[in-house]
Amino acid sequence: MPKTHPPYAPQAMSPVRLSSLGWIKRCSGWREPVAVATVSLALGFLFAYPLLTALSVPSGFLGDWDQHLAFSWVQYDTIWRFHQIPLWNPYKCGGIPALGNPQDRILTPFTLVHLLAGPIAGLYLEVPLHFAVAWSGGYMLARVLGVSRLAAIGAATVFPASSWYALHATCGHADLLSFALLPWVLAPALLAAERRRLSYAALSGAALALTFFDGSPYPTVYAFLLMATVLPAWALYRRSAWPLLVFGLALVFGVGFMAAKLLPAIDFMRGHPRPILHPEVNDYRVLGQLLLSRNQDFWLWPEAVWKWGFWESGAYVGLFIVPAILGALVGGAAALVWLFAGACMLLIWMGSHGPLWPWEILHHLPVFSAMRVPSRAIIPFTLTLAVMTGFGLDWISKRARRFGPAIALILIAVATVDCLLVGTPNYWYVVSKPESDVQPLPSDGFHQVFRVVRDHELNYARHNAGAKYCYEFTVWPNKVKGYDQSDYQDEQYISGPGTVRLEKWTPNALEYDVDTASPSDLVINQNYDPSWRLTEGTGQVFELGALPPSAMRDFLPVSGLLAVQVPAGHQRVELRYRPASVIAGTAITLITLLVSLALWLVERRKAIAT
């Protein structure tokens, strides 16, 4: 009788495969993870090679590059020149919190790259390095799901090689590069559910926190949504409550880990709400073009057609769609989990077609209510395609007899080169337009500037000048005066009779010599923030000239100036920026870290004992 094969199902959750990341230890010692790191870095630099041709030249292509280059420079300068933690950014919008700004990425591990390579080269190098993070995470996720090493290579390639990555990087969306961490959020969560190891749930929470440290709330929210679809579906598939328990614990640990930035960000967003354009819709009939059309040029369609530009929509996967479809058909119940997650992401991607659509319902929730651009849901959808691609390639390599591995390898190679040729050329836009210098500025210390040229925040900051008007996530009306305005009085002045002399200026600390004949106000030409505290001298810090929200100002308040009520006499006044939320958040993060380490040690001892 002819030999028959049982229906294919990925051997994902067998106890043999999942014992404490045993796939690393048993397969080839440390050779496999070293090989994964090497391949991921090689592919990252290959796919982003145009950026390597101009590592010292700041890009003038679109405002997002200038915005994040300015963030990077301020962090670099604050740490190296002033030896301070970047808590306050005086160069932006008249002065705003740095750590509390959801888009400022000081806590990303890649800050070390910026400090060593410089702020410009550091940001460019983040593009290939995030690619490597996404590739290695995709490989780990595929191996955790039980597919072969060859199939895991294909699955790992789909997610970062898709054109969504090159398009967003070309646009300068440095805060969205942390979507690369999505596989690292899911892999330890699934491992925790199968091995019943709570320390892996903590590891998933740490990866979730890194998506926030490394970017804006968008990657974090979509990571949460992926967990909220994959883990409950996995609980049904495995008929176990453990995936639900892991989901809850990962969220608790994630919030605890991210508290160092989360608490300051909450304070920041409360004081400066974000108006959103609503509703937004997408048409499912264009999905074929977005995923399969080889024309993925950054300027493909005008904004009149694509509300936010094509860079928010393209996600080319090319030939990888073939094993992805095959994996959906032969992957069994495990594939159904990822099909469900992918379908949920597509429903979110479609936007607000009515009051019962997911995008509309989610906008009643905190954080999500301030989000826009449903097109970004196509990024996690691409990850679900990557997983199904792994299932399909695994089936090909195991069921197509002796030629199966060769067929799978050829398919991976051709599809990878195809994605390289489609997405990578967009990076030439970044290096083809260097940022030009700005008009001469005063050289006698820090000054605010009123007439700021759009897309030149980096150069103004490098000239020790702050921008009254700037590119940010929300409108930021304020009372700050630029040196180029007729009613400009100085960066510090006394409202009554008296004199003030600047003794020391740093981003987080200001020192003045004040001499007044009567009680007066020391006015500082920066936005007020309640975390500015008087650490030397006598007086009371307050906000001068604040205005309540009004229809003329998009319902946003107008920030007043930082000021100090000082008594008559001569004294030294020192102000320091000390946010209580940063102190409390850091303490929570450290406690969460200690709890995670203790949990890991306890479970490790139990594993050794058994």
Side-chain angles (χ1 to χ4, degrees):
M1 295 181 64
K3 183 178 180 181
T4 60
H5 294 284
Y8 171 77
Q11 301 179 17
M13 295 298 139
S14 66
V16 176
R17 288 287 184 101
L18 287 169
S19 59
S20 303
L21 293 179
W23 62 271
I24 293 180
K25 298 178 182 177
R26 279 190 303 277
C27 291
S28 52
W30 287 105
R31 286 180 294 176
E32 185 172 6
V34 170
V36 168
T38 302
V39 172
S40 64
L41 286 170
L43 286 174
F45 284 99
L46 175 64
F47 270 75
Y49 77 89
L51 299 181
L52 307 181
T53 65
L55 289 178
S56 61
V57 182
S59 175
F61 183 68
L62 294 184
D64 289 80
W65 272 104
D66 178 66
Q67 179 190 33
H68 288 285
L69 284 169
F71 280 144
S72 179
W73 186 89
V74 171
Q75 295 163 7
Y76 180 90
D77 191 58
T78 302
I79 293 173
W80 283 122
R81 181 156 69 105
F82 297 106
H83 309 294
Q84 295 177 346
I85 299 174
L87 300 176
W88 178 259
N89 185 348
Y91 302 98
K92 196 171 185 65
C93 305
I96 65 174
L99 182 59
N101 187 342
Q103 295 187 108
D104 204 326
R105 305 167 53 245
I106 178 59
L107 292 182
T108 174
F110 293 97
T111 295
L112 181 61
V113 179
H114 293 227
L115 294 177
L116 296 177
I120 299 170
L123 192 60
Y124 285 151
L125 290 173
E126 278 201 59
V127 176
L129 292 176
H130 275 91
F131 187 105
V133 168
W135 197 94
S136 57
Y139 183 91
M140 178 181 177
L141 177 60
R143 294 292 276 151
V144 163
L145 290 171
V147 305
S148 64
R149 277 175 279 184
L150 178 59
I153 291 173
T157 305
V158 177
F159 185 48
S162 172
S163 62
W164 74 263
Y165 187 85
L167 289 168
H168 281 283
T170 298
C171 196
H173 289 165
D175 55 322
L176 300 185
L177 294 181
S178 61
F179 271 111
L181 289 158
L182 292 187
W184 291 100
V185 175
L186 292 173
L190 291 172
L191 200 59
E194 291 301 314
R195 299 309 304 163
R196 301 189 177 185
R197 296 284 294 271
L198 300 183
S199 56
Y200 292 157
L203 186 61
S204 176
L208 183 65
L210 279 177
T211 64
F212 188 46
F213 290 163
D214 191 38
S216 66
Y218 279 93
T220 308
V221 169
Y222 281 110
F224 163 77
L225 292 175
L226 264 183
M227 296 176 74
T229 52
V230 171
L231 291 176
W234 202 264
L236 291 175
Y237 165 52
R238 301 297 290 170
R239 298 178 184 177
S240 168
W242 264 89
L244 300 178
L245 175 62
V246 168
F247 181 34
L249 285 175
L251 292 182
V252 171
F253 278 105
V255 171
F257 276 120
M258 70 178 69
K261 182 179 177 180
L262 180 62
L263 295 188
I266 291 174
D267 285 348
F268 184 85
M269 294 293 289
R270 281 177 177 173
H272 302 278
R274 172 182 182 167
I276 62 170
L277 301 176
H278 191 69
E280 301 171 78
V281 298
N282 284 313
D283 189 340
Y284 72 92
R285 289 174 294 185
V286 303
L287 275 173
Q289 291 176 300
L290 303 182
L291 297 172
L292 302 177
S293 172
R294 297 191 77 257
N295 187 0
Q296 297 281 312
D297 185 81
F298 186 87
W299 298 114
L300 180 57
W301 287 309
E303 293 186 17
V305 178
W306 299 98
K307 188 173 186 62
W308 296 101
F310 183 69
W311 56 84
E312 295 283 6
S313 302
Y316 180 75
V317 294
L319 293 175
F320 282 118
I321 197 68
V322 175
I325 295 174
L326 181 62
L329 295 175
V330 303
L336 290 178
V337 172
W338 297 95
L339 281 171
F340 171 72
C344 291
M345 294 304 108
L346 284 182
L347 287 174
I348 295 172
W349 171 86
M350 291 185 70
S352 301
H353 288 266
L356 298 181
W357 282 75
W359 181 262
E360 191 73 30
I361 295 172
L362 289 169
H363 268 77
H364 295 287
L365 302 177
V367 182
F368 209 102
S369 61
M371 294 181 65
R372 58 188 182 185
V373 198
S375 300
R376 291 174 181 175
I378 205 168
I379 300 175
F381 170 74
T382 307
L383 181 59
T384 66
L385 284 183
V387 172
M388 289 185 283
T389 298
F391 292 159
L393 291 170
D394 202 40
W395 187 90
I396 292 173
S397 62
K398 292 177 179 178
R399 299 299 180 184
R401 300 186 181 277
R402 58 181 179 178
F403 296 110
I407 295 172
L409 181 60
I410 292 172
L411 182 56
I412 293 170
V414 173
T416 301
V417 172
D418 182 43
C419 288
L420 172 68
L421 296 176
V422 168
T424 296
N426 285 296
Y427 290 122
W428 290 112
Y429 287 120
V430 178
V431 299
S432 64
K433 184 183 178 182
E435 185 170 80
S436 58
D437 209 343
V438 297
Q439 60 185 354
L441 296 169
S443 59
D444 57 337
F446 175 81
H447 288 273
Q448 298 285 358
V449 180
F450 174 72
R451 295 181 180 86
V452 175
V453 180
R454 174 69 189 276
D455 300 345
H456 281 79
E457 289 181 31
L458 169 64
N459 275 330
Y460 279 103
R462 293 169 75 182
H463 285 81
N464 205 27
K468 173 180 171 64
Y469 296 114
C470 61
Y471 181 52
E472 254 304 325
F473 69 91
T474 187
V475 181
W476 203 286
N478 58 70
K479 303 287 286 185
V480 169
K481 298 294 182 181
Y483 85 98
D484 48 349
Q485 290 182 271
S486 59
D487 54 349
Y488 174 74
Q489 298 188 58
D490 204 344
E491 292 304 312
Q492 59 279 321
Y493 58 89
I494 298 295
S495 61
T499 60
V500 56
R501 184 177 69 251
L502 176 66
E503 294 291 331
K504 183 178 180 181
W505 185 95
T506 68
N508 296 334
L510 303 168
E511 298 179 14
Y512 303 97
D513 183 275
V514 178
D515 192 358
T516 60
S518 60
S520 302
D521 296 333
L522 165 61
V523 182
I524 300 163
N525 194 36
Q526 288 192 46
N527 290 328
Y528 168 81
D529 188 281
S531 295
W532 280 104
R533 307 181 189 281
L534 190 66
T535 55
E536 184 178 340
T538 304
Q540 181 68 40
V541 180
F542 73 103
E543 184 174 12
L544 178 68
L547 296 176
S550 72
M552 295 297 293
R553 303 180 187 90
D554 300 320
F555 300 97
L556 296 175
V558 175
S559 299
L561 298 178
L562 176 62
V564 184
Q565 293 177 343
V566 294
H570 180 265
Q571 63 171 322
R572 183 185 182 86
V573 174
E574 181 182 272
L575 290 163
R576 291 189 178 273
Y577 188 72
R578 292 180 176 176
S581 58
V582 172
I583 299 173
T586 302
I588 295 173
T589 296
L590 291 176
I591 292 171
T592 305
L593 178 61
L594 292 175
V595 171
S596 301
L597 292 174
L599 185 61
W600 177 76
L601 288 172
V602 169
E603 291 189 335
R604 185 172 181 271
R605 289 177 180 175
K606 287 184 178 179
I608 293 175
T610 56

